[in-house]
Amino acid sequence: MTDASLLGADKAAFIAAARSHDTAQFAHITERYRRELQVHCYRMLANYEDAQDMTQETFLRAWNKRETFKGHAALRTWLYRIATNACLDFLEKRNDRTPVPADLPDAGSEVRYLQPYPDRMLPEDPQEAVVARETIELAFIVAVQHLPPRQRAVFILRDVLGWPASKAADALELTVASVTSALQRARVTMREQLSDRRLDWRSPATHELSNDERGVVKSYIDAHERNDLDGLTALLRDDLRFAMLPDTLIVTAEDAVDGWVSGGLFQRGRDDWRCVATTVNRMPAAVLYLRTPGDTEYRLFNIAVLHIVDGKIAELTGFDATDKPWLSLPATL
């Protein structure tokens, strides 16, 4: 069966399920869209738990509105429209879901509600535009948060998913002129936020880590396990941007290392580490486990997500890993 035939069969089966109030068939059909819809909600909200909730809200709204689906548009389009508006409604009610000024001068603003996205929950088709590496990395997700919600929606629908202006306008109940204007403003902000990054988000992109990235992660882990502060420092760019969310933002390598030491890391009692290489947001990461005196096991501590440029760590974003069960990380080693 061709893709077009499959989509047509999906549409027909969905309409039949809606008319017969067949909840099991409805769930079976819509479930295949869960992962891509969740990624879409994550881009809108930058928070994995919120994205989960809004994906579930999407399915609830779809069921409640099932009789309005007439098959004029693709089922996927209809579901994306519902998901986008669910996110917009969520953002309208939450005044804590916008970036806040950073603590340091000239450091921009911080997305303190940012959460990492597990690669295992991404859609499985590597050709899908929804999982292009550049559009799931943390810097991109953070940059999108600097857009007002409706601009954010326009930008994601148009420049990430590749929807035509008329389709995006229909989804958001805007005019084509309004969508075009919002997109132009959004692109300006994104260029400002990602001035040193590739900005062509819809062209082919690799999903795999480079050998360079893998080598830096290995060196980072080796230095961490040896408590080698000089080795760690050598891996960091001088203009490193370090964030330990939701509270800490440091913008130099020297300050980052000094902060780790003054906070007690690599000191007696907090110097017995084991680390595991992984990926989140299609980015290289190291999961850190700490064994404290008297303990027989290394216990999950945090996850360090790395952006590597020319063999150096340009950005290091740390997250407490103990409160994020969706990452499916072992609690102990």
Side-chain angles (χ1 to χ4, degrees):
M1 182 178 289
T2 66
D3 288 345
S5 299
L6 183 60
L7 291 173
D10 250 8
K11 188 184 296 186
F14 182 89
I15 292 173
R19 288 176 178 172
S20 63
H21 308 290
D22 186 342
T23 55
Q25 180 66 1
F26 175 91
H28 174 73
I29 296 167
T30 55
E31 184 64 25
R32 71 189 61 176
Y33 299 100
R34 178 180 295 275
R35 289 193 176 193
E36 61 181 278
L37 290 171
Q38 189 165 295
V39 170
H40 178 61
C41 292
Y42 176 71
R43 284 200 184 95
M44 287 286 296
L45 306 174
N47 183 282
Y48 183 83
E49 292 169 309
D50 291 343
Q52 278 189 314
D53 290 344
M54 288 304 101
T55 303
Q56 201 57 39
E57 173 67 13
T58 296
F59 290 146
L60 177 62
R61 290 188 183 192
W63 174 253
N64 291 335
K65 297 178 179 180
R66 62 192 182 278
E67 294 181 359
T68 68
F69 181 73
K70 304 300 183 183
H72 302 308
L75 177 57
R76 175 184 272 114
T77 300
W78 188 70
L79 291 172
Y80 267 97
R81 174 176 182 162
I82 294 173
T84 302
N85 284 287
C87 291
L88 290 174
D89 291 345
F90 173 87
L91 291 169
E92 187 176 354
K93 296 173 184 175
R94 296 289 295 267
N95 57 13
D96 63 338
R97 285 298 186 261
T98 54
V100 297
D103 297 331
L104 298 178
D106 303 319
S109 55
E110 193 59 41
V111 179
R112 293 181 176 171
Y113 49 91
L114 177 69
Q115 292 179 336
Y117 200 97
D119 284 6
R120 65 181 179 81
M121 292 302 297
L122 293 170
E124 295 176 357
D125 183 355
Q127 302 305 315
E128 285 282 359
V130 294
V131 293
R133 180 173 173 180
E134 286 86 348
T135 65
I136 199 66
E137 289 183 336
L138 291 178
F140 181 91
I141 299 299
V142 167
V144 169
Q145 300 305 297
H146 289 79
L147 302 174
R150 203 157 292 273
Q151 268 189 43
R152 192 181 309 177
V154 167
F155 172 77
I156 292 170
L157 293 176
R158 292 281 285 115
D159 270 13
V160 177
L161 298 180
W163 285 23
S166 58
K167 188 173 172 181
D170 181 62
L172 298 171
E173 298 183 346
L174 297 172
T175 65
V176 171
S178 295
V179 163
T180 301
S181 177
L183 180 61
Q184 290 172 344
R185 295 195 301 274
R187 285 172 174 170
V188 170
T189 301
M190 293 297 288
R191 290 188 190 104
E192 292 171 350
Q193 292 293 320
L194 297 172
S195 58
D196 61 340
R197 305 291 182 102
R198 166 180 158 161
L199 300 178
D200 183 7
W201 295 290
R202 281 185 287 162
S203 61
T206 179
H207 299 310
E208 303 298 327
L209 298 187
S210 67
N211 290 334
D212 194 31
E213 289 173 312
R214 295 180 192 279
V216 172
V217 173
K218 183 179 184 303
S219 296
Y220 176 85
I221 287 175
D222 290 345
H224 215 288
E225 291 183 342
R226 295 196 315 271
N227 292 280
D228 180 1
L229 288 176
D230 289 339
L232 280 174
T233 303
L235 292 170
L236 307 176
R237 274 188 16 175
D238 292 340
D239 59 347
L240 170 80
R241 186 179 185 281
F242 167 68
M244 184 65 206
L245 295 178
D247 300 315
T248 306
L249 177 66
I250 296 174
V251 292
T252 70
E254 183 179 357
D255 288 344
V257 175
D258 288 347
W260 296 336
V261 174
S262 64
L265 299 184
F266 306 106
Q267 306 299 305
R268 182 179 296 274
R270 302 185 82 188
D271 59 351
D272 191 358
W273 300 95
R274 289 294 178 269
C275 308
V276 178
T278 188
T279 60
V280 296
N281 294 75
R282 294 204 183 279
M283 300 177 70
V287 187
L288 310 182
Y289 289 80
L290 176 65
R291 186 171 68 177
T292 54
D295 201 344
T296 60
E297 295 182 300
Y298 292 88
R299 300 193 179 274
L300 184 60
F301 187 70
N302 68 20
I303 182 168
V305 186
L306 312 177
H307 174 57
I308 297 167
V309 179
D310 297 330
K312 293 272 192 174
I313 298 171
E315 296 170 17
L316 192 162
T317 307
F319 299 93
D320 180 356
T322 62
D323 62 349
K324 296 173 177 57
W326 68 87
L327 291 175
S328 297
L329 299 171
T332 60
L333 288 181

